[in-house]
Amino acid sequence: MFIDSKNAEEQAVLNLAHGICAAMRTAPKACGIDHLETAILTGEDKEKLSAEMRRIGESFGVSGSFFARDAGNVDESVAVVLVGAKYEARGLNKRCGLCGFEDCGACSGAGATCVFTPLDLGIALGSAVALASDNRVDNRIMFTVGKAAASLGFLGEHKLIMGIPLSVSGKSPFFDR
């Protein structure tokens, strides 16, 4: 069997993307409560994502040019890994107040989110990009990817989304950002 470098590299990225989803699942979370959702985008879904990123950027006008830049990075990537959480009060510590509200009920009533949600998301993202870097796969955490993924409903009710494009090439597409 002969496997050329393009196919070998694409397969390596896809295998790593699966491992990244596992790394985010096993990352430490507040009170051990897992509320994250992950997905991998390739092919047509990745193309829809980059098109939506460009559309969103256009709605920002000149100040949204970074959406088009990031969409170009997605186009140059083999796959994009998404991780998301729901905007909600989690009830981990009903009176901690770290969210800025008196208790979880007030947080929920205001439509705010528990402070532990973005903290858990950040820890999971750290695990993800560490694994990618350990495997010498170029990557970036992008909120622009997350905004477009949420707009397209890729993770359902999980609207606090970040994306990680993954690339293997002679020069990282993320280098000259």
Side-chain angles (χ1 to χ4, degrees):
M1 172 189 303
F2 176 85
I3 302 172
D4 65 28
S5 60
K6 182 179 185 317
N7 286 318
E9 291 159 6
E10 284 181 6
Q11 190 60 52
V13 170
L14 293 174
N15 289 341
L16 177 64
H18 287 89
I20 285 173
C21 289
M24 289 191 287
R25 179 70 60 219
T26 61
K29 296 170 188 76
C31 294
I33 298 171
D34 184 7
H35 57 93
L36 301 180
E37 186 66 34
T38 64
I40 302 166
L41 302 180
T42 62
E44 288 181 18
D45 287 324
K46 187 173 71 78
E47 291 170 14
K48 287 179 193 173
L49 178 74
S50 65
E52 181 67 0
M53 291 170 71
R54 287 183 176 87
R55 187 196 68 75
I56 292 170
E58 289 171 5
S59 74
F60 280 70
V62 174
S63 66
S65 61
F66 59 93
F67 274 90
R69 177 204 63 202
D70 290 357
N73 288 160
V74 167
D75 291 337
E76 293 183 56
S77 299
V78 173
V80 175
V81 177
L82 303 175
V83 59
K86 295 177 185 176
Y87 287 108
E88 63 186 1
R90 305 225 334 251
L92 296 178
N93 184 342
K94 298 189 184 323
R95 300 187 60 78
C96 78
L98 290 174
C99 61
F101 295 93
E102 181 181 333
D103 57 29
C104 293
C107 177
S108 230
T113 192
C114 176
V115 69
F116 294 109
T117 298
L119 290 172
D120 287 353
L121 191 60
I123 293 166
L125 286 164
S127 291
V129 298
L131 183 59
S133 295
D134 288 348
N135 283 273
R136 307 305 179 259
V137 171
D138 295 322
N139 64 90
R140 281 292 176 276
I141 298 171
M142 295 184 179
F143 90 91
T144 52
V145 167
K147 186 160 181 67
S151 174
L152 293 169
F154 276 129
L155 295 183
E157 293 180 27
H158 294 75
K159 299 294 184 190
L160 177 58
I161 302 172
M162 295 294 200
I164 308 167
L166 303 172
S167 173
V168 173
S169 60
K171 180 181 178 187
S172 170
F174 315 116
F175 183 76
D176 292 328
R177 293 169 43 87

